[in-house]
Structures are given as structure tokens and as C-alpha cells.
Amino acid sequence: MDPEVLRMLSILSRPLTTQIEYSQRLAESPDQYVHLAGVSALLDLGAAPRGRWGDVVRESRHGVVASSAYRFFMANFEYGLAEKVLDVFEPLERPGAAEGMRAALQRDAHHLVAVEARQFLSDGRVEHLMLAADQAETASGWREAVVWLARATVLQPTAPGGAYRLLRTLETANQFEAIEAVLDIFDKGRVFPDLASVIRGALLLHAKDPRGALQSVARLRLSEMKSAAPIRARLCQIRAAAHEALGQYRDALKWYQEFNKQGVPPDLDKRSYLATIERLGRASYPPLSADPHRDHVMMLGFPRSGTTLLEHALAAHPEVETFEEIPSLTRMVLRVEQILEDRIAGEEDRRAAFEEARQRYYGEIERRKSKPGARVFVDKLPIRTAWARLMEKFFPEQRYIFSIRHPYDVVLSCFRQSFTPNAAMENFRTLEDACDFYDRVMTIWFDAFPGEIERVLYVRYEALAGDFENEARRALDFLGVGWSDDVLRFAEFSEGRKVATPSYAKVRGGLALGVQSSWKNYRFVFDTPHGAKLHKWVERFGYDR
């Protein structure tokens, strides 16, 4: 991590006293964004020293200072200085709405970082720093993101949102020494104590000290914590993982269950995902013309089946470009639903409409292409397996790489992970739902593909983790590209990518972890009526029960 980030965060290393004193610390920062926010805060507190009024006028070219300076000078009857503020203020410093929209349309993450930066200089809202961090990670990776998150952290010393994002970004990047340095600053300044205890527990788990991890979070009570849901959920995960490491699996399960109760979205219906899939899968579609996109491949399976590892390996190949969990099929499906609703008459008109819908899938991929020299394109989204019936009607010649892992491990891993909330991922809140969801998704796929066919390459997670090069070669042969040693350096390549799945920390660690399996510790979970739904899949894939 850049030493400048730690120097910026060192503003927090002294305990907070008064708002004026802390604002003075911010105003002394060499970082432009932190400095201007501090100046604005001093003005709002009526505490801008007279000796700096000239600097304040010059800095009023930025809206974050101008509005505060104008109010400050008017309140002090300094009308001449208030007029000077208006003279130097440049309203065009704030980017127009169309500029940000156009940058988003063009998927120009670098430009979006600049847009959010200028928005902050215009109005001083910390949310722009958080949005800049998102775009910076997309554009350049975690190192740039933490700079923006550090700014957000020091500007909100009593709200842990920015600090949590900062520490989690460092955690997924395996930057444990940097986390220790940040926590040391928080401890000295006595800020974010609950968050610090939680993340320190995570560090102790990483250091193979589960008892120390439990001790680190022992004082925290969910019922008393006022922290946001992600922090409470992380606390539950740490307690669960610590009990798991100690062999206390029933206690671990209780904490994983508690983890899944945190931050449940009130407006997501877990049943709607498969209901939509079944409805569209049953609909009638005319035969479509041949699909010319032979250089496109989908990567499917089920979440937590090793798809992220393989996708990162393929992405490192100079002739392969991968797309991770993008809404390409969603764009097509929305158009399909509209066509069905419109009840277009005439076979040819319906065929043309559905072919245009199919082209929207490829259009979404086309607008995201950015890798010079790529000639094969891999679209990875494992949960899309559930759409097999519809995809066979629209992409009857599509090729697939399908990842398989022990069903017990898959379901258990999905139950233990944080996912971006959506109707599909809501099916992992309980083990009962997760088992049922896995069974239904696999049933859909193998109904569509009951036997081995040339269009599907099945890759086993255990083989990939245990014999990586051989399995990577099989996948590259399937894609029709030769071997490249770059594939072996996938962990280095992943440094510059934005975290998109819970697997990133392990992928960035390379192949050192080997095969991960823990289902045998939770036999009691699968010796139940809901666990029985997985038995036939365990046997079908040839795994141990």
C-alpha cells in the first residue's frame, strides 16, 4: 500500500477532541481533497483564522469551499471578500450530468473517477469519494481504490462506512500488514473500535489463531451493535469460522445462520428468480437462424464451484478476454419478455424480433470488450446454468465450460458467503433453500444436457486445484487457443481487477491453498430431508457421501 495513504490516515491517530481541532488537522493535509474539506468545515464552524482568509478566497474556485466561504464572510460582514469569492468561483468546476452519463455509457472508468472527483470538489459530499473508489478499482485495481477510501475514512471519523470498505478492500487483496498498520492508527485515535475488533479477529483467523479471534470479538454483542449490517455480518462470519477452526461445527453453524439474518433486503422475492426462468423456458419461440458467434463461450456451473479460479486463468491468456458476471443475458431476457408481452403476429416478424433480442446479448459483450489481440470471448456467470432451457432455444450451438465441485461443499460454501443481494442469491439464506436451489438448477441443466456432448467441457474443481496446468490446457484446447505461460501468472494479473466475487482473496493468493473441502465436518447438515436432495448429485458426479 502506498505510504501516502498511511500518512493521510494518520490524521486519525490522535483521539478526537473538538470538531474545530479535527477540522484543523484536515485543513493541514497535503491531499487536496482532504485539505479542502477541512477548510470548508472550519468555515462552517466559524473558525477560519483571519490569516488564511486570502487563501480561502483563492480556494473558492472549488464549490466545496465557495459556498462555505460566502456564508462565512457574509456572517462576518466582510462583503468585499464575499464578492471576491463569487468572482473566483467557477460553477463549471462541477461536471454536467451529461458528462457522467456519457462516461458511464462508454464504460470509461478512468473518466468516471475524474467526474466523481470533480463532483466532490464541487459539493464536498463523501459519497463521491466512495463512488470514485468503485470506479478506480474497475479502472486500475485495489491500490487506486484505497486512496479514495482513505479520504472517505478521514472525512467521516465517526461513521465506519468508508473505514469498513477500506479494510475489506485490503483484506481481499491479502494486504495483511497494511491492515495491521491501519488498525494501529485506529487504536491510537480510539476510532471505529467495533470495526477494529472485527477486522482484528479476521487477521487472527488468517494467522491460524481462532481462539484469539474469538477473544478479539468477545465483547461485541449483536443486539447492542449500532454498526451497519455488513459489519455485523462480518462479525458473525468470523465467529463462525473460528468455531469451525476449533472443530466446534454446530456452534459454527449457528453463527453462519446468524450471519445470514443480517441485512436481509425487504423487497427481494427468492421465488421470483426460478419462477421467471420456468415461465420463459416454457414459452414458444420460432426456430432462429444460425448463430455466427463461434468465438463466444459461456462459463457456467454453480457459484463456489471453482469458476472464478478458471476464469482468472483464462483471462491471463493474451488471446482470451473474459467477462465476469455481466448482465449480458439479462439484457436479452428483458427484450424477450417485452416481445412475448407484445404478442407480435406473424412468424417472420416474431423470428426477427427474437433474433434481435439474441443480438442484444452479444451487444452487451461487445460494448465491454477492451483487450487488444483477444479472439475468444468467455462470458462467466455460474448461476446462469438455470437458464439452460431458454439458452438452448436461442443459442443451440453455444459452447459451455461447466465447473463441477462436490455438491455438499458447493451448498455449504454458498451458505457461508456474502453475495450481492438479488433474487437468485437470496436462495442461500438457509441451508434448506440452498439445497433445494442447487437441486432445481442442476435438474434444469441436466434435463437440457442429459449426456456428454462436444459443446460442453466439464471441469472438476478438485482437478483444477490439484492439477492446474493440465486442466487449464484442457480448457484452452476447448477454446481453440494454444498454451501461454501467462496463464500460470493469473494471480499477478488479478491484482488489477475489481473484486466481483467472494473468491478473489483466494485467487489472488494463487494455487498455494490447494483443494478446499469442509463438508465432512458438517455431515449432520446433509443427513437431513433437505440434504437428501443432494444425494443423487453426489452419486451422479462420483463423489464420496
Side-chain angles (χ1 to χ4, degrees):
M1 186 171 69
D2 189 340
E4 290 299 323
V5 173
L6 289 177
R7 278 193 280 273
M8 187 191 309
L9 291 170
S10 67
I11 293 172
L12 291 163
S13 62
R14 301 197 307 275
L16 302 176
T17 53
T18 65
Q19 286 185 313
I20 291 177
E21 190 271 336
Y22 188 72
S23 299
Q24 287 172 337
R25 291 190 220 170
L26 298 177
E28 293 168 1
S29 173
D31 181 82
Q32 178 189 27
Y33 302 92
V34 175
H35 164 73
L36 292 175
V39 171
S40 177
L42 287 173
L43 290 165
D44 289 339
L45 293 167
R50 183 175 294 272
R52 287 213 69 251
W53 285 6
D55 294 333
V56 166
V57 170
R58 286 188 291 275
E59 291 168 340
S60 291
R61 64 183 300 271
H62 302 292
V64 63
V65 173
S67 56
S68 298
Y70 175 79
R71 292 192 300 269
F72 175 82
F73 289 133
M74 290 295 290
N76 284 278
F77 307 105
E78 296 288 346
Y79 304 124
L81 291 175
E83 185 172 3
K84 288 183 178 180
V85 166
L86 297 178
D87 288 340
V88 302
F89 179 42
E90 298 177 1
L92 294 180
E93 183 71 24
R94 181 186 181 94
E99 181 182 352
M101 292 177 186
R102 188 168 298 280
L105 180 64
Q106 296 171 346
R107 298 189 53 77
D108 188 343
H110 290 286
H111 192 175
L112 285 169
V113 172
V115 167
E116 295 299 340
R118 287 163 54 202
Q119 290 277 24
F120 176 81
L121 293 177
S122 175
D123 60 27
R125 292 164 60 186
V126 174
E127 67 186 65
H128 295 304
L129 301 179
M130 304 284 268
L131 291 170
D134 286 337
Q135 297 301 330
E137 188 175 8
T138 298
S140 308
W142 67 269
R143 296 179 190 277
E144 292 298 320
V146 298
V147 177
W148 293 98
L149 293 172
R151 290 169 177 145
T153 299
V154 298
L155 295 186
Q156 292 185 319
T158 59
Y164 177 73
R165 285 269 308 276
L166 170 66
L167 291 167
R168 285 294 286 146
T169 300
L170 292 172
E171 191 176 357
T172 56
N174 297 321
Q175 299 297 304
F176 303 112
E177 290 185 5
I179 295 173
E180 289 279 14
V182 173
L183 292 179
D184 183 58
I185 290 172
F186 290 173
D187 288 346
K188 289 178 179 177
R190 298 198 288 274
V191 293
F192 313 124
D194 289 358
L195 173 60
S197 295
V198 169
I199 300 300
R200 186 157 278 118
L203 290 179
L204 289 166
L205 273 177
H206 176 74
K208 311 297 184 185
D209 182 5
R211 295 188 187 281
L214 288 175
Q215 185 176 357
S216 175
V217 299
R219 67 175 184 82
L220 300 177
R221 298 287 181 272
L222 280 176
S223 59
E224 300 172 2
M225 289 180 68
K226 297 181 180 179
S227 303
I231 299 176
R232 297 198 307 272
R234 189 77 181 110
L235 168 63
C236 295
Q237 270 187 318
I238 288 166
R239 282 181 169 153
H243 283 296
E244 188 175 75
L246 292 169
Q248 301 162 354
Y249 301 111
R250 293 185 184 273
D251 288 333
L253 180 63
K254 291 177 183 178
W255 279 109
Y256 282 127
Q257 290 169 333
E258 195 65 46
F259 152 73
N260 276 290
K261 295 176 184 178
Q262 307 303 314
V264 178
D267 55 349
L268 284 179
D269 180 6
K270 65 187 178 186
R271 297 167 297 184
S272 65
Y273 184 72
L274 286 179
T276 299
I277 288 171
E278 291 171 0
R279 174 172 53 83
L280 295 181
R282 291 192 303 267
S284 176
Y285 306 96
L288 306 186
S289 61
D291 184 357
H293 297 85
R294 303 301 176 85
D295 53 357
H296 287 65
V297 176
M298 290 190 194
M299 183 179 289
L300 307 179
F302 205 81
R304 313 297 296 164
S305 294
T307 53
T308 299
L309 173 59
L310 182 55
E311 183 265 330
H312 275 252
L314 298 178
H317 193 288
E319 297 180 40
V320 179
E321 183 167 12
T322 65
F323 305 90
E324 189 169 24
E325 310 209 351
I326 66 172
S328 48
L329 191 70
T330 300
R331 184 179 176 189
M332 185 193 90
V333 166
L334 291 174
R335 178 60 179 144
V336 168
E337 291 200 274
Q338 183 181 355
I339 295 168
L340 292 173
E341 185 178 335
D342 291 344
R343 299 179 182 275
I344 297 174
E347 190 77 358
E348 288 304 316
D349 289 341
R350 292 183 74 243
R351 178 181 290 108
F354 286 123
E355 286 180 357
E356 183 270 334
R358 180 175 67 184
Q359 187 54 41
R360 288 183 172 227
Y361 167 82
Y362 292 111
E364 188 63 27
I365 293 177
E366 192 67 33
R367 69 187 293 266
R368 294 167 184 267
K369 290 180 180 178
S370 61
K371 188 173 182 176
R375 61 183 184 87
V376 178
F377 307 95
V378 179
D379 184 11
K380 172 237 173 182
L381 183 55
I383 201 62
R384 192 181 291 156
T385 298
W387 292 90
R389 295 189 187 111
L390 183 71
M391 291 190 300
E392 276 299 273
K393 294 178 179 181
F394 280 80
F395 309 99
E397 299 175 337
Q398 178 69 243
R399 292 185 299 151
Y400 302 96
I401 296 176
F402 194 100
S403 293
I404 293 175
R405 186 183 182 188
H406 197 302
Y408 295 166
D409 275 324
V410 170
V411 166
L412 190 60
S413 186
C414 287
F415 173 68
R416 296 185 300 185
Q417 292 298 325
S418 295
F419 293 102
T420 300
N422 59 51
M425 297 300 106
E426 284 303 297
N427 287 278
F428 300 134
R429 292 282 181 181
T430 69
L431 279 166
E432 291 87 343
D433 285 344
C435 289
D436 181 65
F437 193 57
Y438 182 94
D439 178 42
R440 294 177 70 183
V441 169
M442 288 297 155
T443 298
I444 291 171
W445 175 262
F446 285 102
D447 279 350
F449 298 95
E452 296 282 340
I453 63 172
E454 292 183 355
R455 290 196 292 121
V456 182
L457 174 71
Y458 289 100
V459 177
R460 291 186 177 253
Y461 159 76
E462 296 80 7
L464 181 66
D467 190 4
F468 174 78
E469 184 172 337
N470 182 61
E471 290 301 295
R473 286 182 183 275
R474 285 182 64 229
L476 292 172
D477 287 344
F478 182 75
L479 296 179
V481 298
W483 175 256
S484 170
D485 286 342
D486 288 347
V487 172
L488 300 175
R489 296 189 288 272
F490 69 89
E492 177 184 340
F493 173 79
S494 71
E495 286 282 305
R497 303 184 73 186
K498 183 176 182 177
V499 170
T501 75
S503 303
Y504 263 58
K506 291 183 179 179
V507 169
R508 285 170 169 170
L511 297 170
L513 287 173
V515 176
Q516 302 290 296
S517 179
S518 56
W519 73 263
K520 291 183 180 179
N521 300 322
Y522 291 89
R523 293 174 189 270
F524 61 92
V525 166
F526 301 106
D527 188 21
T528 58
H530 57 266
K533 293 182 179 181
L534 303 182
H535 295 346
K536 61 179 178 288
W537 301 112
V538 174
E539 293 170 0
R540 178 177 187 134
F541 300 147
Y543 286 109
D544 179 24
R545 253 185 62 189

